[in-house]
Amino acid sequence: MAESWGTAFPSDYRDFLAVYGAGTIDDHLLIATASPDLGETTLGDLTSVASRVTASEDDDRPYPVWPEPGGLICWGATVDAAALHWDTSDADPDRWPVIVRSREGDFTRHDRGFAEFVVRMLGPSAERPLESPTLYGAPNSRFLSATEQRRLKSEGTDPWEYLEELYEANEADDYDADDGPLIMWHPDGTKEVIPGGTPDGG
């Protein structure tokens, strides 16, 4: 991973990939892999898109894009076209903040790492870093690895079938978005329940 990019990656991101792999939460929040040989969406795919987009914009863009020194590496995206990056200007990857580029082209810096950003996206709506009405949050959100999504589709099953029920419950005001466990589906099809909760602080 580090060899092909010429840099290490944050330890929380590496730990996440080692356990869960690349995938998506609620068909809304995509988390990419750094490995180009897995047949999944990669950091390189997303960063290439970010590079093309920023190249078409004004020269006064606030951040360079990798492989420029300190450039942004795009590790994720949302269904509503927000791109999620690391600012790699710090020599220590565990101190890389998250930079969000909105659909409109605005950049917002979040002084927290990958894992905390994702956890906060699953917390109460008013406390999330981004507006995400189709990300249901704990205790109802599910992470499905790209491998698990392919397996379900090959069996004729919609991986995101549960979202319709959540939507209907939400519309009926029966949905409770308080913190709770997050259901994580591993590539082998086993389920793990991660205790919820949002870290203290802003």
Side-chain angles (χ1 to χ4, degrees), residues 44-67:
D45 296 332
L46 297 183
T47 302
S48 294
V49 172
S51 181
R52 292 195 298 272
V53 169
T54 55
S56 67
E57 297 174 342
D58 297 334
D59 292 335
D60 60 352
R61 55 184 175 163
Y63 298 95
V65 177
W66 188 271

Side-chain angles (χ1 to χ4, degrees), residues 80-128:
D80 47 2
L84 314 176
H85 311 81
W86 288 299
D87 176 350
T88 67
S89 55
D90 196 299
D92 180 0
D94 285 335
R95 298 181 61 179
W96 289 353
V98 172
I99 307 296
V100 177
R101 182 189 184 279
S102 70
R103 179 199 298 267
E104 294 75 26
D106 299 319
F107 289 84
T108 305
R109 176 187 174 104
H110 299 270
D111 287 315
R112 53 182 61 95
F114 161 83
E116 184 180 351
F117 184 91
V118 172
V119 168
R120 287 177 178 273
M121 285 293 291
L122 300 173
S125 297
E127 300 176 14
R128 295 181 184 180

Side-chain angles (χ1 to χ4, degrees), residues 16-199:
F16 185 94
L17 288 187
V19 176
Y20 304 113
T24 310
I25 300 174
D26 288 352
D27 202 23
H28 178 95
L29 175 58
L30 169 71
I31 298 172
T33 179
S35 301
D37 55 350
L38 298 179
E40 300 169 355
T41 301
T42 69
L43 304 182
D45 296 332
L46 297 183
T47 302
S48 294
V49 172
S51 181
R52 292 195 298 272
V53 169
T54 55
S56 67
E57 297 174 342
D58 297 334
D59 292 335
D60 60 352
R61 55 184 175 163
Y63 298 95
V65 177
W66 188 271
E68 294 183 44
L72 300 180
I73 294 177
C74 189
W75 58 262
T78 68
V79 71
D80 47 2
L84 314 176
H85 311 81
W86 288 299
D87 176 350
T88 67
S89 55
D90 196 299
D92 180 0
D94 285 335
R95 298 181 61 179
W96 289 353
V98 172
I99 307 296
V100 177
R101 182 189 184 279
S102 70
R103 179 199 298 267
E104 294 75 26
D106 299 319
F107 289 84
T108 305
R109 176 187 174 104
H110 299 270
D111 287 315
R112 53 182 61 95
F114 161 83
E116 184 180 351
F117 184 91
V118 172
V119 168
R120 287 177 178 273
M121 285 293 291
L122 300 173
S125 297
E127 300 176 14
R128 295 181 184 180
L130 299 176
E131 291 186 10
S132 48
T134 61
L135 190 66
Y136 287 92
N140 296 295
S141 283
R142 298 183 186 180
F143 173 86
L144 293 180
S145 70
T147 301
E148 178 67 3
Q149 291 176 55
R150 288 195 295 269
R151 184 188 70 80
L152 290 170
K153 289 177 180 178
S154 72
E155 297 175 353
T157 300
D158 178 2
W160 310 110
E161 186 176 8
Y162 70 93
L163 291 173
E164 183 175 350
E165 181 178 341
L166 289 178
Y167 175 79
E168 291 174 354
N170 189 42
E171 288 295 291
D173 294 327
D174 292 331
Y175 170 69
D176 184 1
D178 289 341
D179 288 343
L182 170 66
I183 300 172
M184 308 291 282
W185 291 90
H186 291 264
D188 63 0
T190 58
K191 180 174 74 173
E192 180 180 0
V193 179
I194 308 297
T198 305

